[in-house]
Amino acid sequence: MGVGAEEVVWGGRTLGETPAKVHRMANPPAVPGAAALERMMDFDLSEEQRLVRRTVREFAEKEIHPHVERYEAEERYPTELIAKLPPMGLMGPMIPERFGGSFSDVLTYGVICEELARIDWVVASVVSVSNSLLASSILKAGTEAQQERWLPKIASGETLCSACLTEPGGGTDLGNLKTTATRVDGGWRLTGTKVFISHAAHAGLFFVVASIDVSKKHKGVTAFLLDPKGESAEGLTIGEFPMRTLKRDNLAEVHFENCFVPDEGLLGEPGGGFPILGAALDTGRFSVAARCIGQAQRCIDLAVPYASEREAFGQSIGQFQMIQEKIANMICRTEAARALVYRLGRMKDAGVARASLESSMAKLTASQAAVENALDAIQIHGGYGLSTEYEVGRLLLEAKSLEFGEGTSELHKKIIAETALGLRKQ
Ligand SMILES: Cc1cc2nc3c(=O)[nH]c(=O)nc-3n(C[C@H](O)[C@H](O)[C@H](O)COP(=O)(O)OP(=O)(O)OC[C@H]3O[C@@H](n4cnc5c(N)ncnc54)[C@H](O)[C@@H]3O)c2cc1C
């Protein structure tokens, strides 16, 4: 019996109604084979990790999902949804308990990012930027005072974070920054522009990279922690960055004009920012890859029930081999990506400090899976795939954006191939 059968009731609704009604369900109904997929997804996770997955999934479906489309339509940053994360311990999964965080292991952090991203790009991004780029950098390179000042506020949700890396001249070549940092009495003055900055207008902490000497390229790169609402508010302009997608993230262009950062805002050594950035991106690639498998999974979760229910030529479209091929491809590429992402998480849990090759493999494979799954899911939905009444169309551009963030696909292919050819050290 397919889910389109008249007598199947799910969530108080009778299925087999017009497709336009099906989309309003937070959880599409399980089809008979769904349990087998869940078994694969949980393969080799500990009991605690499975519990975290179940809890976060339930939370995201119930508390976040019903509101996502509305925030996007209203181009409104989901402050109220983000406020639901701290009581669940979801704002600090990479922050140790002594700073108010909920860190247990890196793989669990990945599962959290995966499950949040399955439902909402922005909420998952808040967690991933705060933990991978900010908190992890502060833990690795920050002074005790910096850790005490910022980590509890990040974990409690009091302070949201933003990472200001990309410049108008390019985001891939981060050793070639144009934003400058000039030494002055008691601190530094930053001048330059950053673009595509997520969460900037809502953040209370910026991670900024600037150069103390542009001629030195990556050896001039210096990392700063900047308080955009306090001591560094003067000389800082946060403007709207025009985007075709993710309007609810309010992406920003951030301009620094002689913006003052006190000495306490220097993260690491002057000119020592590039390795800090590298380590941050290494963890960032893990969490973005985890987010990608969440999005890829969501496409499966939406396409499979639709294919079971939608009929053409007197039978469900799921009975056509060309639709089955798409579903098979979606599942295989998601599982392949998940295996790479989980392996990377386990490597980090085993104490491997930098895993550039594995991070690139996981990020490349997972982001491509997210994009290809969105394309297949749209195709399975036919014209409805591009209707605003269905989620899959939105997922495509959101997935595509993950092919840029934390390194483009081209950059990751370059890293993988150069490592194989002995042109780059791990
Ligand atoms: C939704 C969204 C959110 C974002 N959020 C943030 C944020 O919060 N903070 C932030 O700092 N940035 C953010 N970014 C920016 C993102 O990190 C950059 O888009 C990315 O780093 C690429 O930089 P670019 O767009 O300037 O492309 P470019 O660096 O100009 O690259 C253009 C093209 O050339 C290719 N290319 C470059 N170098 C090579 C090479 N050596 N070999 C082969 N191909 C190459 C690239 O892969 C790409 O296809 C965000 C972007 C998006 C879309």
Side-chain angles (χ1 to χ4, degrees):
M1 181 177 68
V3 290
E6 296 291 328
E7 62 273 33
V8 179
V9 176
W10 186 89
R13 289 172 196 277
T14 301
L15 302 186
E17 294 173 332
T18 63
K21 287 192 178 158
V22 175
H23 81 280
R24 294 194 184 90
M25 294 186 290
N27 296 308
V31 289
L37 297 186
E38 274 180 29
R39 190 187 64 214
M40 286 194 300
M41 189 194 292
D42 280 351
F43 172 70
D44 223 12
L45 291 185
S46 69
E47 201 40 58
E48 289 78 21
Q49 288 162 338
R50 286 171 204 227
L51 181 64
V52 169
R53 181 198 291 292
R54 278 198 300 275
T55 308
V56 179
R57 178 168 292 200
E58 216 177 281
F59 161 77
E61 287 180 347
K62 191 161 160 254
E63 302 289 336
I64 311 283
H65 184 270
H67 312 288
V68 175
E69 293 287 357
R70 183 164 44 85
Y71 280 93
E72 182 64 15
E74 293 173 5
E75 303 186 11
R76 195 152 62 85
Y77 191 73
T79 307
E80 300 80 1
L81 304 184
I82 294 164
K84 296 179 181 189
L85 299 173
M88 300 282 297
L90 296 176
M91 269 314 297
M94 284 294 276
I95 299 176
E97 259 180 55
R98 69 178 189 283
F99 294 114
S102 56
F103 176 76
S104 61
D105 56 78
V106 179
L107 181 53
T108 298
Y109 169 51
V111 169
I112 290 169
C113 290
E114 178 186 348
E115 288 303 324
L116 291 176
R118 182 175 162 274
I119 294 301
D120 185 30
W121 192 105
V122 178
V123 167
S125 170
V126 166
V127 173
S128 131
V129 169
S130 296
N131 284 272
S132 292
L133 301 182
L134 274 290
S136 297
S137 302
I138 295 170
L139 279 163
K140 279 198 185 86
T143 60
E144 224 167 275
Q146 286 170 330
Q147 295 179 353
E148 296 286 350
R149 177 176 177 189
W150 294 114
L151 295 176
K153 287 185 183 175
I154 299 173
S156 70
E158 184 185 335
T159 297
L160 299 184
C161 300
S162 197
C164 303
L165 315 177
T166 306
E167 302 191 340
T172 306
D173 186 6
L174 287 175
N176 199 14
L177 296 176
K178 298 289 178 277
T179 301
T180 56
T182 310
R183 191 85 180 99
V184 292
D185 235 16
W188 301 81
R189 288 214 177 259
L190 307 191
T191 296
T193 302
K194 303 285 180 176
V195 287
F196 290 107
I197 308 304
S198 293
H199 319 299
H202 309 274
L205 174 62
F206 282 5
F207 172 59
V208 186
V209 282
S211 178
I212 53 166
D213 182 348
V214 291
S215 71
K216 287 190 178 161
K217 303 282 180 186
H218 65 277
K219 290 197 170 147
V221 173
T222 305
F224 295 94
L225 296 172
L226 180 153
D227 178 352
K229 293 181 176 151
E231 61 232 8
S232 297
E234 216 180 301
L236 184 65
T237 320
I238 301 172
E240 187 187 334
F241 192 78
M243 291 294 287
R244 192 172 288 290
T245 181
L246 285 166
K247 303 235 177 229
R248 66 190 185 285
D249 191 26
N250 299 167
L251 256 80
E253 174 169 324
V254 178
H255 186 63
F256 304 94
E257 188 65 55
N258 262 323
C259 178
F260 181 70
V261 187
D263 278 331
E264 303 82 80
L266 176 70
L267 185 64
E269 298 296 318
F274 206 67
I276 297 173
L277 183 59
L281 290 174
D282 205 71
T283 311
R285 283 164 190 167
F286 169 70
S287 55
V288 169
R291 287 163 57 190
C292 291
I293 53 177
Q295 287 211 207
Q297 182 65 47
R298 182 69 180 160
C299 292
I300 298 170
D301 297 344
L302 293 168
V304 170
Y306 191 90
S308 300
E309 183 200 324
R310 181 74 172 171
E311 291 191 353
F313 299 93
Q315 63 185 55
S316 76
I317 59 169
Q319 292 182 56
F320 297 122
Q321 286 185 356
M322 277 186 275
I323 298 292
Q324 291 177 359
E325 184 201 29
K326 289 186 215 321
I327 289 171
N329 286 339
M330 289 167 80
I331 291 167
C332 289
R333 60 173 84 99
T334 306
E335 283 307 316
R338 186 176 275 125
L340 286 174
V341 175
Y342 286 12
R343 184 187 65 165
L344 176 60
R346 290 197 173 96
M347 285 174 72
K348 288 179 178 292
D349 280 326
V352 178
R354 286 290 295 274
S356 306
L357 173 65
E358 291 79 3
S359 298
S360 285
M361 286 164 62
K363 163 65 174 45
L364 173 69
T365 309
S367 58
Q368 288 182 341
V371 173
E372 286 166 18
N373 276 18
L375 281 169
D376 279 342
I378 289 172
Q379 194 66 21
I380 289 171
H381 279 69
Y384 289 103
L386 295 181
S387 155
T388 53
E389 297 216 314
Y390 285 81
E391 208 175 312
V392 285
R394 174 170 57 77
L395 294 182
L396 177 60
L397 284 185
E398 294 183 3
K400 188 66 192 167
S401 78
L402 296 174
E403 266 203 272
F404 307 121
E406 321 280 331
T408 62
S409 291
E410 290 78 7
L411 179 74
H412 292 303
K413 285 178 187 167
K414 182 167 136 54
I415 291 171
I416 295 163
E418 285 180 355
T419 308
L421 292 163
L423 302 172
R424 166 189 291 265
K425 284 200 191 109
Q426 258 277 59

